[in-house]
Amino acid sequence: MKQQPSLFLSAKYALIVLQASTDALITVNQFVGHTSFMKVWTVIGLLLIAFPSEAKIFSIDDIAQRPFLGPYLKLYEAPDQSITAQQALEAWQAGEFHDSKQMRPNFGNSDAEYWAILEVENSGLSRKLILENNHGMIDYFDVFLVRNGEAQLHFQGGDQQDFSNRYLKVRTNNTQIEIPEGRQLILMRAQSLTTNILSIRLWDESDYQLYLYWEYIVFGLLIGIHLVMIFYNGFLAITMKDSLYLMYIVFVGSNLVFQVCNYNLGQFFAYHFFSFETFSNHIQLVSVDLIILSAIFFTWNYLDMDKSKYWKAKYILGFNVIFSTFNLLVNHFISVQLTSFCTLIGASIVIATMINLGILRFREGYRPAYYYLLGWGAYIIGSGEAVMINIGLRDLNSFNYWSQFAGGAIEVSLFSIALGSRFNFIKRENNRKIQKLNNDLQEINKDLEAKVEMRTREIRDILKHINQGIFTVTQDNCVDREYSKYLEYIFDETDLGGQNLVELLKGRSDLSSDQIGQLETALDVILGEDDLAFEMNSHLFPEKLIYRKSEDKEPRELEIDWNHLVDGDKTTKILVAVRDMTEKNKMQSEINRKSKEIKLISQLIEVKPERFGQFQKVSLEMLADVDVMLKKGDINDEMVRFMMVTYHTLKGMSRTLNLTELSAIIHSVESEVTGRKETLSEMTFSWLNELHGSIKDALNHYIDINNNQLGRVVDHRFILVSRVLVQRVLNSVEQISDRPKDLNKDLMLLKKYYYRTPEDIAFDQLDSIKNMCDQLSKPIPKFKFNNNSFGLEPKAAEIFEKVLTHLIRNSLSHGLESNQERIAKGKTERGTITISQKVDNDRIALTYQDDGKGVLLNDIADRAKQLGIVLNEGEPVLSVLFYPGFSTKTKVDNISGRGVGMDAVRSLLESVEGTIKIEDFENVEEPERRCLRFEISVPKKYFSKMDPAGLHHADAA
């Protein structure tokens, strides 16, 4: 190649420096305002032309020293996009390259394209040398020879290019170059997604092969250490059946893969064994994540962290397990460079955590942590050097070139020793525990005969005084001679030893002949056999029975426990414990009865005597009507419907008074009847009478407690009024001409005792309303009464109370929303129920409505079709609400869903010549729904006007 004259180059460089210096000085001059600076530096610039500095040129005479050629290189980082070799050469000629300061120029984890140029001088004849880049983990390493001013491609290397391009098929990138006499320019291109290092040397081929020979001996030794550890501990894992050794093997194997990749032996093996030309960047990063994961599991189990007070460190390691697993996905799908960074961070955190755990466990007295810490120390020393080399903080030398591989080999060896230390530690701990147990056993065995004799006496004393029948059964099914004294009391017989247990119970207990046979079979099968026989047949032993020696003796309720006594692996005896539960069961029954009675009393005292008296009267009349129906002798739909309406109404009344026992029984009866309503043939009068009787018994129990125990009998022929009030009324009547206003006032007070307004009736049901609201998780609604000036006489009030019960239940179950729903719709948190009165000719009209969400007419029509209800032509959809069995709910609960509510309402009103109809109107908030208003009409004769104007009947109002 024709070289540029040194004087020309020197002048060129000097002009560049001079131009840059001049520009800088002009700026300074403008700032400080002095021209003298410009004159001085102009002189200095001219002197630089006269005395140029030349770049260092490598002489092949120095090749025997095997130097790294970094100081002889000039470097250049390409722009954002790749450039050609010719463009790189032109950049060098333009002085854009800069001198290298390192033995092995290190560009870190940059994926940029770097160029280097090397000037080699040969003072002798032409010579063939080997150019080597000793850093094997590089993606692309291309060599160009500059001849006649052109850069000619000579070699394409790197693990992303064909391995077969190498002159010698070894782990490092190498090519043979002929150096002619004079100077030779060598242009090199390096680019990599991982570490990018130019570790350049020139070799004589013989020296290079000798170097490789010793290098592979070292590699063989280090790889051999790993393989020996794998096979040795694999043998231990199989023989000792300890999963910790398998974790160790995975760790060592991952470490070996990493080291092989790190020294570019991966591509070497892949080519020579499998003919693969290139090698993936992903493999080494995967091996690092596997090292992290296996090290975490190995550390946790080796240090036995579950027994440490620092066990919460598992959350840190757990995070690293997730992080490393995620990093595997990043490596494959996103970015190798990002993976490299994350791997470095993850490994640093994990190693620091594991070393700290080792120190903490060692301080806790866990001695095997000593070799564990030594192993990590060796690895940190070796890997720390390698990391600093790879990120450009340290230059390569003979120590740190092998430091990581050697550190890893020392680490796995020390970990293997640590496993042995752990085994010996556990063995010593177990021996210590065994020795302690032996010492304890020796203490226990001292004076054993005396203790046995003492225990025997104690057992005999226990058997003599214990209030249980304890005995054993031998192989002939006989009671052993040693048994507790109390057993004779239970069986009401002495000298039980030697008697056959089966014969003792036969004919004297409530056990059937089949149960006696099972007992005898179980004893025959179990005695003399192993544990399994007892486990398989112990269910045949009776756990409870009633024993009665003769008719004149009181029966005893007995509980029996059965256990087997084993000698070796055979059952020799059956241990039996018998408890007399007669008195205890009697006491428990009495306690249960008293508890239930107390519960009923607590419910009754919350109800006013007059109100319960009214409830008693109405309930007995309603149940008497059912009795009449049951005596007709014909089970049909009408009778069943009548019963369901009666029961449903009675349940609502009992719930209003919070008589929970009665309402629960009625609900249970409703469920049973509903379950068979579709198949009347399965119903019998005995079954219906039994269910009906359970309701009557529950009601009579309440009545008995109220009337007899609490003494709260109310005679409905009289109204309880104050004596003072009666005297005042009499005085007022006597002086009627003088005090008519007082008379009217007193008469109004008397009317309040006789007539009940809708407000009075609703108020009396507040407890029931609260219970229903609690069950439905809804707030108690507000009640608004318009024109509440008419009171109902007792019969009509009784009917309206039942009607109001059904309507309120429907509002809570179907209409009014929960507080959250109402707030979301912009409504008040509590719903409102409005009850109004007005005179309509010779009747009183009562209107009931709530401000709930209303109903969907389509849903009602669809539900009617599901239930097989066909409406007559022109009949409104809402009329289906009064059909027997109709309900919009598909699931029955304690409040609604049986389809007897509105049907019952209409039936009740008809008994007082009343009617009910439904009007629907638009729901402003939800136009697709219709709000409902119930119009109830009752003759005036059942009402009285409640105002101070005087005593008036509704007809006169």
Side-chain angles (χ1 to χ4, degrees), residues 90-150:
E90 292 171 359
W92 173 73
Q93 292 170 345
E96 296 178 20
F97 278 58
H98 65 273
D99 291 337
S100 168
K101 305 298 182 182
Q102 298 173 297
M103 297 289 291
R104 300 166 72 240
N106 188 333
F107 309 114
N109 282 14
S110 170
D111 61 350
E113 183 180 82
Y114 291 90
W115 294 82
I117 197 161
L118 171 68
E119 265 189 287
V120 181
E121 184 173 24
N122 182 7
S123 60
L125 299 175
S126 176
R127 188 171 174 182
K128 291 184 178 180
L129 299 176
I130 291 178
L131 176 71
E132 176 207 31
N133 185 355
N134 187 256
H135 180 66
M137 282 176 35
I138 189 170
D139 291 346
Y140 301 97
F141 176 69
D142 300 334
V143 178
F144 302 84
L145 300 180
V146 180
R147 289 173 180 161
N148 300 321
E150 294 184 357

Coordinates of all heavy atoms in Angstrom, one line a residue, residues 90-150:
E90 N -12.0 6.6 5.1 CA -12.0 8.1 4.8 C -12.1 8.9 6.1 O -11.5 10.0 6.2 CB -13.1 8.4 3.8 CG -12.9 7.9 2.4 CD -14.2 8.0 1.6 OE1 -15.2 8.6 2.1 OE2 -14.2 7.6 0.4
A91 N -12.9 8.4 7.0 CA -13.0 9.1 8.3 C -11.6 9.1 9.0 O -11.3 10.1 9.7 CB -14.0 8.4 9.2
W92 N -10.9 8.0 8.9 CA -9.5 7.9 9.5 C -8.6 8.9 8.8 O -7.8 9.6 9.5 CB -9.0 6.5 9.4 CG -7.5 6.4 9.9 CD1 -7.0 6.5 11.1 CD2 -6.4 6.3 9.0 NE1 -5.7 6.3 11.1 CE2 -5.3 6.2 9.8 CE3 -6.2 6.2 7.6 CZ2 -4.0 6.1 9.3 CZ3 -5.0 6.1 7.1 CH2 -3.8 6.0 7.9
Q93 N -8.7 8.9 7.5 CA -7.8 9.9 6.8 C -8.2 11.3 7.1 O -7.3 12.2 7.1 CB -8.0 9.6 5.3 CG -7.5 8.3 4.8 CD -7.8 7.9 3.4 OE1 -8.8 8.5 2.8 NE2 -7.2 6.9 2.8
A94 N -9.5 11.5 7.5 CA -9.9 12.9 7.8 C -9.6 13.2 9.3 O -9.9 14.3 9.8 CB -11.4 13.1 7.6
G95 N -8.9 12.3 10.0 CA -8.5 12.6 11.4 C -9.7 12.4 12.4 O -9.6 12.9 13.5
E96 N -10.7 11.7 12.1 CA -11.9 11.5 13.0 C -11.7 10.4 13.9 O -12.5 10.2 14.9 CB -13.2 11.3 12.2 CG -13.5 12.5 11.3 CD -14.8 12.3 10.5 OE1 -15.5 11.4 10.8 OE2 -15.0 13.0 9.5
F97 N -10.7 9.5 13.7 CA -10.4 8.5 14.7 C -9.6 9.1 15.9 O -8.9 10.1 15.7 CB -9.5 7.4 14.0 CG -10.3 6.4 13.2 CD1 -11.1 6.8 12.2 CD2 -10.3 5.0 13.5 CE1 -11.8 5.9 11.4 CE2 -11.0 4.1 12.7 CZ -11.8 4.6 11.7
H98 N -9.7 8.4 17.0 CA -9.0 8.9 18.2 C -8.2 7.7 18.8 O -8.5 6.6 18.6 CB -10.0 9.4 19.3 CG -10.9 8.4 19.9 ND1 -12.1 8.1 19.3 CD2 -10.7 7.6 21.0 CE1 -12.6 7.1 20.0 NE2 -11.9 6.8 21.0
D99 N -7.1 8.1 19.6 CA -6.3 7.1 20.1 C -7.0 6.3 21.2 O -7.8 6.8 22.0 CB -5.0 7.7 20.7 CG -4.1 8.3 19.6 OD1 -4.2 7.9 18.5 OD2 -3.4 9.3 19.9
S100 N -6.6 5.0 21.3 CA -7.1 4.1 22.3 C -6.3 4.3 23.6 O -5.1 4.4 23.5 CB -7.1 2.7 21.8 OG -7.4 1.8 22.9
K101 N -6.9 4.3 24.7 CA -6.2 4.4 26.0 C -6.2 3.1 26.8 O -5.6 3.0 27.9 CB -6.9 5.4 26.9 CG -7.1 6.8 26.2 CD -5.7 7.5 25.9 CE -5.9 8.9 25.3 NZ -4.7 9.5 24.9
Q102 N -6.7 2.0 26.2 CA -6.9 0.7 27.0 C -6.1 -0.4 26.2 O -5.9 -0.3 25.0 CB -8.3 0.3 27.1 CG -9.2 1.3 27.9 CD -10.7 0.9 27.8 OE1 -11.3 0.9 26.8 NE2 -11.2 0.6 29.0
M103 N -5.7 -1.4 27.0 CA -5.1 -2.5 26.4 C -6.1 -3.3 25.6 O -5.8 -3.8 24.5 CB -4.6 -3.5 27.5 CG -3.5 -2.9 28.4 SD -1.9 -2.7 27.5 CE -1.4 -4.4 27.3
R104 N -7.3 -3.4 26.1 CA -8.4 -4.0 25.4 C -9.6 -3.0 25.3 O -10.4 -3.0 26.2 CB -8.9 -5.3 26.1 CG -7.8 -6.3 26.3 CD -8.2 -7.4 27.3 NE -9.2 -8.3 26.8 CZ -10.4 -8.4 27.4 NH1 -10.7 -7.7 28.4 NH2 -11.2 -9.3 26.9
P105 N -9.7 -2.2 24.3 CA -10.8 -1.2 24.2 C -12.1 -1.9 24.5 O -12.5 -2.9 23.8 CB -10.7 -0.7 22.7 CG -9.3 -0.9 22.4 CD -8.8 -2.2 23.1
N106 N -12.9 -1.3 25.4 CA -14.1 -1.9 25.9 C -15.2 -0.9 25.6 O -15.2 0.2 26.2 CB -14.0 -2.2 27.4 CG -15.2 -3.0 27.9 OD1 -16.3 -2.9 27.4 ND2 -15.0 -3.8 29.0
F107 N -16.2 -1.3 24.8 CA -17.3 -0.4 24.5 C -18.6 -0.7 25.3 O -19.7 -0.2 25.0 CB -17.6 -0.5 23.0 CG -16.4 -0.3 22.1 CD1 -15.9 -1.4 21.4 CD2 -15.7 0.9 22.1 CE1 -14.8 -1.2 20.6 CE2 -14.6 1.0 21.3 CZ -14.1 0.0 20.6
G108 N -18.5 -1.6 26.3 CA -19.6 -1.9 27.1 C -20.7 -2.6 26.4 O -20.5 -3.3 25.4
N109 N -22.0 -2.5 26.9 CA -23.1 -3.1 26.3 C -23.8 -2.1 25.3 O -25.0 -1.8 25.4 CB -24.2 -3.5 27.3 CG -23.7 -4.8 28.0 OD1 -22.6 -5.2 27.9 ND2 -24.6 -5.4 28.8
S110 N -23.0 -1.7 24.3 CA -23.6 -0.8 23.3 C -23.7 -1.5 22.0 O -22.8 -2.3 21.6 CB -22.6 0.4 23.2 OG -23.0 1.2 22.0
D111 N -24.8 -1.3 21.3 CA -25.0 -1.9 20.1 C -24.6 -1.1 18.9 O -24.9 -1.4 17.7 CB -26.5 -2.3 19.9 CG -27.4 -1.1 19.9 OD1 -26.9 0.0 20.2 OD2 -28.6 -1.2 19.6
A112 N -23.8 0.0 19.2 CA -23.3 0.9 18.1 C -22.2 0.1 17.3 O -21.6 -0.9 17.8 CB -22.7 2.2 18.7
E113 N -21.9 0.6 16.2 CA -20.8 0.1 15.3 C -19.5 0.8 15.6 O -19.5 2.0 15.5 CB -21.2 0.2 13.8 CG -20.3 -0.4 12.9 CD -20.8 -0.3 11.4 OE1 -20.5 0.8 10.9 OE2 -21.4 -1.2 10.9
Y114 N -18.5 0.1 15.9 CA -17.2 0.7 16.2 C -16.1 0.2 15.2 O -16.2 -1.0 14.8 CB -16.7 0.3 17.6 CG -17.5 1.0 18.7 CD1 -18.7 0.4 19.2 CD2 -17.2 2.2 19.2 CE1 -19.4 1.0 20.2 CE2 -17.9 2.9 20.2 CZ -19.0 2.2 20.7 OH -19.8 2.8 21.6
W115 N -15.3 1.1 14.9 CA -14.2 0.8 13.9 C -12.8 1.1 14.6 O -12.7 2.0 15.4 CB -14.3 1.7 12.7 CG -15.5 1.4 11.9 CD1 -16.8 1.8 12.1 CD2 -15.6 0.5 10.7 NE1 -17.6 1.3 11.1 CE2 -16.9 0.5 10.3 CE3 -14.6 -0.2 10.0 CZ2 -17.3 -0.3 9.2 CZ3 -15.0 -1.0 8.9 CH2 -16.4 -1.0 8.5
A116 N -11.9 0.3 14.2 CA -10.5 0.4 14.8 C -9.5 0.2 13.6 O -9.8 -0.6 12.7 CB -10.2 -0.6 15.9
I117 N -8.4 1.0 13.7 CA -7.4 0.8 12.6 C -6.1 0.6 13.3 O -5.8 1.2 14.4 CB -7.4 2.1 11.7 CG1 -6.6 1.7 10.4 CG2 -6.8 3.3 12.4 CD1 -6.9 2.7 9.3
L118 N -5.3 -0.3 12.7 CA -4.0 -0.7 13.3 C -3.0 -0.6 12.2 O -3.1 -1.2 11.1 CB -4.1 -2.2 13.8 CG -2.8 -2.8 14.3 CD1 -2.3 -2.1 15.5 CD2 -3.0 -4.3 14.5
E119 N -1.9 0.1 12.5 CA -0.8 0.2 11.6 C 0.3 -0.7 12.1 O 0.8 -0.7 13.2 CB -0.2 1.7 11.6 CG -0.8 2.5 10.5 CD 0.0 3.8 10.4 OE1 -0.3 4.7 11.2 OE2 0.7 4.0 9.4
V120 N 0.7 -1.6 11.2 CA 1.7 -2.7 11.5 C 2.9 -2.4 10.6 O 2.8 -2.2 9.4 CB 1.2 -4.1 11.3 CG1 2.2 -5.1 11.7 CG2 -0.1 -4.3 12.1
E121 N 4.1 -2.4 11.3 CA 5.3 -2.2 10.5 C 6.1 -3.5 10.5 O 6.4 -4.1 11.5 CB 6.1 -1.1 11.1 CG 7.4 -0.7 10.3 CD 8.1 0.5 10.8 OE1 7.9 0.9 12.0 OE2 8.8 1.2 10.0
N122 N 6.6 -3.9 9.3 CA 7.4 -5.1 9.1 C 8.7 -4.7 8.5 O 8.8 -4.2 7.3 CB 6.7 -6.1 8.2 CG 7.5 -7.4 8.0 OD1 8.5 -7.6 8.7 ND2 7.0 -8.2 7.1
S123 N 9.8 -4.8 9.3 CA 11.1 -4.3 8.8 C 11.8 -5.4 8.0 O 12.9 -5.2 7.4 CB 12.0 -3.9 10.0 OG 12.1 -5.0 10.9
G124 N 11.2 -6.6 8.0 CA 11.8 -7.7 7.3 C 11.0 -8.2 6.1 O 10.3 -7.4 5.5
L125 N 11.2 -9.5 5.8 CA 10.4 -10.0 4.7 C 9.0 -10.2 5.0 O 8.6 -10.2 6.2 CB 11.1 -11.4 4.3 CG 12.5 -11.3 3.8 CD1 13.1 -12.7 3.6 CD2 12.7 -10.5 2.6
S126 N 8.2 -10.5 4.0 CA 6.7 -10.7 4.1 C 6.5 -11.9 5.1 O 7.2 -12.9 5.0 CB 6.1 -11.0 2.8 OG 4.7 -11.3 3.0
R127 N 5.5 -11.7 6.0 CA 5.3 -12.7 7.1 C 3.9 -13.0 7.3 O 3.1 -12.0 7.4 CB 6.0 -12.2 8.3 CG 6.1 -13.1 9.5 CD 6.9 -12.5 10.6 NE 7.0 -13.3 11.8 CZ 7.7 -12.9 12.9 NH1 8.3 -11.8 12.9 NH2 7.6 -13.7 13.9
K128 N 3.5 -14.3 7.5 CA 2.1 -14.6 7.8 C 1.9 -14.8 9.3 O 2.6 -15.5 9.9 CB 1.8 -15.9 7.1 CG 1.7 -15.9 5.6 CD 1.2 -17.2 5.0 CE 1.1 -17.0 3.4 NZ 0.7 -18.3 2.8
L129 N 0.9 -14.0 9.8 CA 0.6 -14.0 11.2 C -0.9 -14.3 11.4 O -1.7 -14.1 10.4 CB 1.0 -12.6 11.8 CG 2.5 -12.2 11.7 CD1 2.6 -10.8 12.3 CD2 3.4 -13.2 12.5
I130 N -1.2 -14.6 12.6 CA -2.6 -14.8 13.0 C -3.1 -13.6 13.8 O -2.5 -13.3 14.8 CB -2.8 -16.1 13.8 CG1 -2.6 -17.3 12.8 CG2 -4.2 -16.2 14.3 CD1 -2.7 -18.6 13.5
L131 N -4.2 -12.9 13.3 CA -4.8 -11.9 14.0 C -6.0 -12.5 14.8 O -6.8 -13.1 14.3 CB -5.3 -10.8 13.1 CG -6.1 -9.7 13.8 CD1 -5.2 -8.8 14.5 CD2 -6.9 -8.8 12.7
E132 N -6.0 -12.2 16.1 CA -7.0 -12.8 17.0 C -7.7 -11.7 17.8 O -7.0 -10.8 18.3 CB -6.3 -13.8 18.0 CG -7.3 -14.4 19.0 CD -6.6 -14.8 20.3 OE1 -5.6 -14.2 20.7 OE2 -7.1 -15.7 21.0
N133 N -9.0 -11.9 17.9 CA -9.8 -11.1 18.9 C -10.1 -12.1 20.0 O -11.0 -12.9 19.9 CB -11.1 -10.5 18.3 CG -11.8 -9.6 19.3 OD1 -11.4 -9.5 20.4 ND2 -12.9 -9.0 18.8
N134 N -9.4 -11.9 21.1 CA -9.5 -12.9 22.2 C -10.9 -12.9 22.9 O -11.3 -13.8 23.6 CB -8.4 -12.6 23.2 CG -8.4 -13.7 24.3 OD1 -8.8 -13.5 25.4 ND2 -7.8 -14.9 24.0
H135 N -11.7 -11.8 22.7 CA -13.0 -11.7 23.3 C -14.0 -12.4 22.3 O -14.4 -11.9 21.3 CB -13.4 -10.2 23.5 CG -14.8 -10.1 24.1 ND1 -15.1 -10.5 25.3 CD2 -16.0 -9.6 23.5 CE1 -16.4 -10.2 25.6 NE2 -16.9 -9.7 24.5
G136 N -14.4 -13.6 22.7 CA -15.2 -14.4 21.8 C -16.6 -14.1 21.7 O -17.3 -14.3 20.7
M137 N -17.2 -13.4 22.8 CA -18.6 -13.1 22.9 C -18.9 -11.8 22.2 O -19.3 -10.8 22.8 CB -19.1 -13.0 24.3 CG -19.3 -14.3 25.0 SD -19.8 -14.1 26.7 CE -20.7 -12.7 26.7
I138 N -18.7 -11.8 20.9 CA -19.0 -10.6 20.1 C -19.8 -11.1 18.9 O -19.5 -12.1 18.3 CB -17.7 -9.9 19.6 CG1 -18.0 -8.6 19.0 CG2 -16.8 -10.8 18.7 CD1 -16.7 -7.7 18.8
D139 N -20.8 -10.3 18.5 CA -21.7 -10.7 17.4 C -21.1 -10.6 16.1 O -21.1 -11.5 15.2 CB -23.0 -9.8 17.5 CG -23.8 -10.1 18.7 OD1 -23.6 -11.2 19.3 OD2 -24.8 -9.3 19.0
Y140 N -20.4 -9.4 15.8 CA -19.8 -9.2 14.5 C -18.4 -8.7 14.7 O -18.2 -7.6 15.3 CB -20.6 -8.2 13.7 CG -22.1 -8.7 13.4 CD1 -23.1 -8.2 14.3 CD2 -22.4 -9.6 12.4 CE1 -24.4 -8.7 14.1 CE2 -23.7 -10.0 12.2 CZ -24.7 -9.6 13.1 OH -26.0 -10.0 12.9
F141 N -17.4 -9.3 14.0 CA -16.0 -8.9 14.0 C -15.5 -9.1 12.6 O -15.2 -10.2 12.2 CB -15.2 -9.6 15.1 CG -13.7 -9.2 15.0 CD1 -13.3 -8.0 15.5 CD2 -12.8 -10.1 14.6 CE1 -12.0 -7.6 15.4 CE2 -11.4 -9.8 14.6 CZ -11.0 -8.5 15.0
D142 N -15.3 -8.0 11.9 CA -14.9 -8.0 10.5 C -13.5 -7.4 10.4 O -13.2 -6.4 11.0 CB -15.9 -7.3 9.6 CG -17.3 -7.9 9.6 OD1 -17.4 -9.1 10.0 OD2 -18.3 -7.2 9.4
V143 N -12.7 -8.0 9.5 CA -11.3 -7.5 9.3 C -11.2 -7.1 7.8 O -11.5 -7.8 6.9 CB -10.2 -8.5 9.7 CG1 -8.8 -8.0 9.4 CG2 -10.4 -8.9 11.1
F144 N -10.6 -5.9 7.6 CA -10.4 -5.4 6.2 C -8.9 -5.0 6.1 O -8.3 -4.4 7.0 CB -11.2 -4.1 5.9 CG -12.7 -4.3 6.1 CD1 -13.3 -4.2 7.3 CD2 -13.5 -4.6 5.0 CE1 -14.6 -4.4 7.5 CE2 -14.8 -4.8 5.1 CZ -15.4 -4.7 6.4
L145 N -8.3 -5.3 5.0 CA -6.9 -4.9 4.7 C -6.9 -3.8 3.7 O -7.6 -3.8 2.7 CB -6.1 -6.1 4.1 CG -6.0 -7.3 5.0 CD1 -5.2 -8.4 4.3 CD2 -5.4 -7.0 6.3
V146 N -6.2 -2.7 4.1 CA -6.1 -1.5 3.2 C -5.0 -1.6 2.2 O -3.8 -1.7 2.6 CB -5.9 -0.2 4.1 CG1 -5.9 1.0 3.2 CG2 -7.1 -0.1 5.1
R147 N -5.3 -1.7 1.0 CA -4.3 -1.8 -0.1 C -4.7 -0.9 -1.2 O -5.9 -0.9 -1.7 CB -4.2 -3.3 -0.5 CG -3.6 -4.2 0.5 CD -3.6 -5.6 0.2 NE -3.0 -6.4 1.2 CZ -3.1 -7.7 1.4 NH1 -4.0 -8.4 0.7 NH2 -2.5 -8.3 2.4
N148 N -3.7 -0.2 -1.6 CA -3.9 0.8 -2.7 C -5.0 1.7 -2.4 O -5.9 2.1 -3.3 CB -4.2 0.0 -4.0 CG -3.1 -0.9 -4.4 OD1 -1.9 -0.6 -4.3 ND2 -3.4 -2.1 -5.0
G149 N -5.1 2.1 -1.2 CA -6.1 3.1 -0.8 C -7.5 2.6 -0.6 O -8.5 3.4 -0.4
E150 N -7.7 1.3 -0.8 CA -9.1 0.7 -0.6 C -9.1 -0.3 0.5 O -8.1 -1.0 0.7 CB -9.5 0.0 -1.9 CG -9.7 1.0 -3.1 CD -10.2 0.2 -4.4 OE1 -10.3 -1.0 -4.3 OE2 -10.4 0.9 -5.4

